[in-house]
Amino acid sequence: MSVSVILASSSPSRRRVLLQAGVNPNVSVSHVDEPAALEAAAARFGGRVADLDAKQRVEILARAKARAVASYYRSVAQVAADAHGEQVTAYPLQAPQVTDAGAGGVQSDETQTGSQSRFAGAKPPVADARFRPADVKHSSDGTSDIDRTVTQDFSGLAVPTRTEPLDEAMAGLHGFESSSHGPLIIGCDSMFLFGGETFGKPHTPQVARERLTAMRGKSGELWTGHCVIDFATGRELTEASHARVRFADYTDEQVEAYVSTGEPLEVAGCFTLEGLGGPFIESVEGDPSGVLGISLPLLRRLTGKLGIDWTWLWNWQNTSAVQPGFGSRPQAQDSDIELRVAAATSPQGRIRQPGDGWVECVCGSRHWGRHGAAGILLARRDERTGEVTDIVMQHRAQWSAEGGTWGIPGGAITAGETPIEGALRESYEEANITPDDIEVVGTHREEHGPWAYTTVIAFEKPGHRVDPHPNDDESLKIGWVPVPNVAGLKLLTAFRTDWPGFTERLDRLAREYKGK
């Protein structure tokens, strides 16, 4: 059995510990208001925050983070489960072959018509490995003379399609609520207890300087709360680990140099065991991985109590695919595709999710998403007439594939989620499109055999308003764009190809859509 893990933290240290233990988690930041969470918990106890000890505080915050992420995933799962309408699947690699002359033409109208009717009522076979778009010249080593991260333009081909009810298209797909266990959501929080005072992150150089000066030659306790929620069953366990840390008698100059690096500003206790601060720690008594922010022995015990064997969390293929040089574990292999890590031009420190990676497709392009990719085409309707007026558009970051173009928010699907769930998750993480405010009314899937992209079509629910804005570094801008203005933008190749069909379908869906 394989159980996926969702880490409710953007901490590089926690993710690194899990990776080194063979677990590549999906990272989902909780955005919990920590002071408010502590105040609410203290009020329930009938006291003040000052009355809470270190163990209570880290457990309260770990639980709040895990529950916030679990609640968000339940919203995603519910909206996906309520999705209705039709899925239109396009098979561009089964379009009539380009002529041998390579003049950009296609075969005769008679052949095109035959190809379209050939697939009526039945799924076409997988992509023809011989297919090559006319405008791509391949050298003897198999590379292209154009940037292969640019999606091929299939607008000149008669592409066969298949239409089926959405519930039938999604039947049998593995999603959030289809497993007996998982995904496993892990929330953590760390605090340092020194001299009877609880330290969180110092945030400023002055606070870090004062704390490091007070701590030298002495010891304190690092407490880390852990909350583990099994999404499938709803069962939840919370516990804390702790260890005693003794510091070296370092100099004022060393304190100043360490603070100037910025490393101690955003870590509990203003030190790191695995970073630049490591040489200034004399000893650790207790769980060392807990000092790094996440206790592996404690997690193993908690998952065991939930009926999940720790080895079920291992996803070595994922970790090796996104973490070059990770031990000697085997790289992921597939007879049809070659997996590649993200482009080296992406921002340093950017989190690589389990589904991230390039797929070498038989169409000659490299596609993003080891399990495919998906995005949300979200439309706003006129409250009076019901007509579609605007859609949410993303101005893509320059470092991304076809950077600087406009498209819809979305990204790589991760293992253990359906395309609809992946699109909902990605659009929230990228564009703040909140699942509870939208209704999925159909999908469009471009099928390449070893890879596919699913456009999830949605409307704002009546009485709801989505406020899209960039949530990460993948966008230059995100916002509502009037439908008449879309064609005038510099569009992502695939979206430019599909936009005329999308406008027709949006108009039809708007006439049919009743809303809830």
Side-chain angles (χ1 to χ4, degrees), residues 343-352 397 399-400 473-474:
T345 54
S346 61
Q348 186 176 6
R350 176 174 163 73
I351 295 173
R352 302 282 173 79
W399 57 264
S400 64
D473 56 9
E474 296 191 33

Side-chain angles (χ1 to χ4, degrees), residues 159-435:
V159 177
T161 62
R162 172 185 171 87
T163 301
E164 57 189 323
L166 192 53
D167 57 352
E168 292 183 14
M170 295 294 119
L173 293 182
H174 180 66
F176 293 148
E177 295 189 319
S178 62
S179 299
S180 58
H181 292 291
L184 203 64
I185 300 168
I186 301 174
C188 296
D189 190 80
S190 298
M191 289 187 179
F192 189 64
L193 183 62
F194 179 79
E197 186 178 354
T198 302
F199 292 162
K201 300 173 183 177
H203 298 304
T204 68
Q206 181 58 31
V207 173
R209 188 178 296 111
E210 292 171 356
R211 291 182 181 178
L212 287 166
T213 300
M215 287 155 43
R216 62 183 168 193
K218 300 178 182 177
S219 62
E221 292 183 340
L222 197 291
W223 286 84
T224 298
H226 301 68
C227 179
V228 180
I229 299 175
D230 181 356
F231 186 86
T233 66
R235 293 183 62 199
E236 170 189 307
L237 292 173
T238 304
E239 203 170 318
S241 71
H242 75 285
R244 179 164 291 276
V245 181
R246 183 166 186 81
F247 298 91
D249 191 13
Y250 38 75
T251 66
D252 289 343
E253 291 76 15
Q254 289 170 332
V255 168
E256 207 58 46
Y258 185 40
V259 170
S260 69
T261 68
E263 180 181 275
L265 303 187
E266 298 302 324
V267 290
C270 62
F271 69 90
T272 59
L273 181 62
E274 78 284 17
L276 298 175
F280 302 103
I281 297 173
E282 292 286 358
S283 64
V284 174
E285 298 175 19
D287 180 2
S289 62
V291 177
L292 298 176
I294 188 164
S295 169
L296 295 174
L298 178 53
L299 282 180
R300 177 182 54 78
R301 293 194 297 271
L302 293 177
T303 56
K305 291 178 181 178
L306 292 174
I308 299 173
D309 189 280
W310 177 260
T311 60
W312 297 352
L313 309 184
W314 287 343
N315 51 352
W316 290 345
Q317 290 184 332
N318 284 349
T319 53
S320 63
V322 298
Q323 195 77 1
F326 177 68
S328 58
R329 299 188 174 104
Q331 297 287 323
Q333 298 293 326
D334 191 292
S335 59
D336 296 320
I337 59 177
E338 178 187 352
L339 304 181
R340 298 283 184 87
V341 296
T345 54
S346 61
Q348 186 176 6
R350 176 174 163 73
I351 295 173
R352 302 282 173 79
Q353 302 283 26
D356 288 355
W358 293 108
V359 171
E360 299 287 348
C361 184
V362 294
C363 76
S365 293
R366 302 168 71 217
H367 301 307
W368 184 247
R370 300 181 58 224
H371 309 286
I376 290 284
L377 175 56
L378 177 61
R380 171 171 287 171
R381 303 168 71 231
D382 184 282
E383 293 180 357
R384 213 170 27 85
T385 66
E387 295 180 352
V388 173
T389 59
D390 306 83
I391 65 169
V392 173
M393 296 288 288
Q394 175 194 40
H395 195 189
R396 298 163 61 82
Q398 293 292 348
W399 57 264
S400 64
E402 294 193 58
T405 59
W406 289 78
I408 58 174
I413 299 168
T414 195
E417 64 184 6
T418 67
I420 295 177
E421 291 169 342
L424 291 167
R425 174 185 56 75
E426 280 283 336
S427 63
Y428 174 75
E429 293 173 356
E430 285 186 11
N432 196 50
I433 296 177
T434 44

Side-chain angles (χ1 to χ4, degrees), residues 492-508:
L492 186 73
T493 301
F495 189 80
R496 183 183 70 242
T497 301
D498 292 333
W499 176 238
F502 286 159
T503 56
E504 294 178 6
R505 191 170 178 191
L506 284 171
D507 288 342
R508 176 173 60 81

Side-chain angles (χ1 to χ4, degrees), residues 14-230:
R14 291 189 180 112
R15 180 173 176 271
R16 192 179 303 115
V17 170
L18 288 174
L19 282 170
Q20 291 170 346
V23 180
N24 187 18
N26 197 81
V27 174
S28 182
V29 183
S30 64
H31 303 293
V32 163
D33 184 335
E34 296 186 13
L38 289 173
E39 289 173 7
R44 287 195 297 271
F45 294 144
R48 304 168 303 157
V49 173
D51 299 326
L52 301 173
D53 61 28
K55 180 177 183 295
Q56 289 174 312
R57 294 189 190 199
V58 295
E59 289 183 344
I60 289 167
L61 293 178
R63 189 181 301 115
K65 293 175 182 179
R67 287 178 176 177
V69 170
S71 176
Y72 158 64
Y73 270 80
R74 294 203 187 284
S75 294
V76 167
Q78 187 60 57
V79 173
D82 291 341
H84 54 90
E86 295 176 329
Q87 172 161 294
V88 176
T89 304
Y91 300 88
L93 305 195
Q94 290 295 334
Q97 295 265 328
V98 176
T99 60
D100 293 337
V106 297
Q107 293 179 340
S108 68
D109 291 342
E110 180 180 355
T111 305
Q112 293 174 31
T113 303
S115 178
Q116 286 176 303
S117 61
R118 171 187 173 194
F119 300 114
K123 286 190 175 181
V126 296
D128 186 342
R130 298 170 299 170
F131 176 88
R132 291 292 184 268
D135 58 348
V136 181
K137 297 181 179 66
H138 292 267
S139 61
S140 58
D141 64 357
T143 60
S144 168
D145 61 352
I146 64 172
D147 181 358
R148 293 188 304 116
T149 62
V150 176
T151 303
Q152 300 305 322
D153 185 350
F154 298 110
S155 57
L157 303 179
V159 177
T161 62
R162 172 185 171 87
T163 301
E164 57 189 323
L166 192 53
D167 57 352
E168 292 183 14
M170 295 294 119
L173 293 182
H174 180 66
F176 293 148
E177 295 189 319
S178 62
S179 299
S180 58
H181 292 291
L184 203 64
I185 300 168
I186 301 174
C188 296
D189 190 80
S190 298
M191 289 187 179
F192 189 64
L193 183 62
F194 179 79
E197 186 178 354
T198 302
F199 292 162
K201 300 173 183 177
H203 298 304
T204 68
Q206 181 58 31
V207 173
R209 188 178 296 111
E210 292 171 356
R211 291 182 181 178
L212 287 166
T213 300
M215 287 155 43
R216 62 183 168 193
K218 300 178 182 177
S219 62
E221 292 183 340
L222 197 291
W223 286 84
T224 298
H226 301 68
C227 179
V228 180
I229 299 175
D230 181 356

